[in-house]
Amino acid sequence: MEITQNSQSLHFNSHGLIPAIVQDHYTKEVLTLAYMNAETLALTIAEGRTVFWSRSRQEIWRKGETSGNVQRVVSITADCDKDALVIDVIKSGPACHTGAESCFFNPVYVSDELKQFTWQGLYELIEGRKTDPKEGSYTSYLFDKGLEKILKKVGEESTEVIIAGAKRDKEETIFEISDLAYHVMVLMIELGISVEDITKELEKRHVIDHKVKQERMQ
């Protein structure tokens, strides 16, 4: 991990602590809020995994030491005042002691009008229609019909994208790509493929360069 000079100028509170917001590297979901002191921050950087200071036990707390749910650190970023951190991690299991993926699972308020779209949110919504089918739901209907029907719809929507793109109709192409993305996600859930699986695959290769090389070889 590259260490910048910002790590030397952080502002710890009167108890020698700095709040650390931990988020999932792939989904960007906020996982937990913990605290670090200078020692545990140094250990985190040295070990490449999250190490916190437990305020209740007054001791060093290596995340996953007993549960196995280790959080590997991708990056650490300080805010503008350098008195709070965001830690980007790849997790090996649930972040919460309750067994939940995130400690933040108690809704207080959600604006229907301004609710932000996420691929993970859409994935979970579609997945819910498979695990808990709803009468009259098109998504539940697709899962009920099975893989052959889902593959047929992916093929149909792919064709619609090609037709719209060939016409250079931007609005229609956006509409058709959205339909395709939805049906591809249904296929992903049917086959047990997660958003994280796709993100990992894209991260480990240079998509544009790889495709150009393929085209030149043909």
Side-chain angles (χ1 to χ4, degrees):
M1 181 184 294
E2 180 185 355
I3 303 174
T4 71
Q5 62 181 11
N6 285 326
S7 64
Q8 306 299 321
S9 57
L10 295 173
H11 299 261
F12 296 86
N13 65 21
S14 58
H15 299 288
L17 301 175
I18 188 169
I21 301 165
V22 182
Q23 70 174 19
D24 187 284
H25 173 63
Y26 296 111
T27 66
K28 303 308 176 187
E29 179 182 19
V30 174
L31 300 176
T32 192
L33 170 64
Y35 288 83
M36 291 180 166
N37 56 23
E39 181 183 5
T40 59
L41 175 58
L43 287 171
T44 294
I45 293 172
E47 298 178 11
R49 56 178 286 183
T50 53
V51 183
F52 305 113
W53 178 256
S54 172
R55 294 180 298 167
S56 59
R57 299 192 303 270
Q58 290 293 296
E59 63 182 16
I60 292 174
W61 162 38
R62 283 178 170 83
K63 175 62 179 173
E65 193 167 38
T66 56
S67 67
N69 300 328
V70 176
Q71 297 170 342
R72 297 296 176 186
V73 178
V74 177
S75 66
I76 302 175
T77 306
D79 70 342
C80 56
D81 294 323
K82 297 184 182 179
D83 60 2
L85 303 173
V86 171
I87 305 180
D88 209 38
V89 303
I90 296 174
K91 61 186 179 66
S92 298
C96 186
H97 73 282
T98 64
E101 292 300 314
S102 167
C103 292
F104 294 91
F105 53 79
N106 294 302
V108 176
Y109 168 76
V110 179
S111 168
D112 292 332
E113 182 180 355
L114 300 177
K115 187 176 181 180
Q116 185 178 11
F117 169 86
T118 65
W119 288 110
Q120 185 63 34
L122 176 59
Y123 184 96
E124 292 171 1
L125 180 63
I126 295 173
E127 187 177 38
R129 293 296 187 268
K130 179 178 174 66
T131 58
D132 183 23
K134 294 191 181 297
E135 186 176 353
S137 165
Y138 172 67
T139 307
S140 295
Y141 161 78
L142 288 176
F143 286 125
D144 181 61
K145 290 298 181 182
L147 181 60
E148 185 175 347
K149 177 65 174 180
I150 295 169
L151 290 172
K152 181 180 178 182
K153 289 303 299 181
V154 170
E156 290 175 358
E157 298 302 336
S158 297
T159 301
E160 294 296 332
V161 170
I162 293 170
I163 293 172
K167 294 190 296 184
R168 292 185 174 275
D169 187 322
K170 182 178 178 180
E171 294 302 317
E172 184 178 346
T173 304
I174 290 172
F175 182 85
E176 298 300 346
I177 288 175
S178 299
D179 270 354
L180 176 60
Y182 158 78
H183 284 91
V184 166
M185 196 160 281
V186 172
L187 175 62
M188 287 168 57
I189 293 167
E190 179 68 17
L191 298 182
I193 299 170
S194 68
V195 174
E196 183 176 326
D197 291 331
I198 302 302
T199 305
K200 285 180 178 178
E201 177 62 26
L202 291 173
E203 276 193 339
K204 72 182 183 183
R205 58 176 169 160
H206 299 290
V207 180
I208 296 176
D209 290 342
H210 182 64
K211 292 299 183 184
V212 169
K213 288 178 182 177
Q214 282 187 333
E215 290 169 1
R216 287 176 180 170
M217 291 174 62
Q218 292 176 353

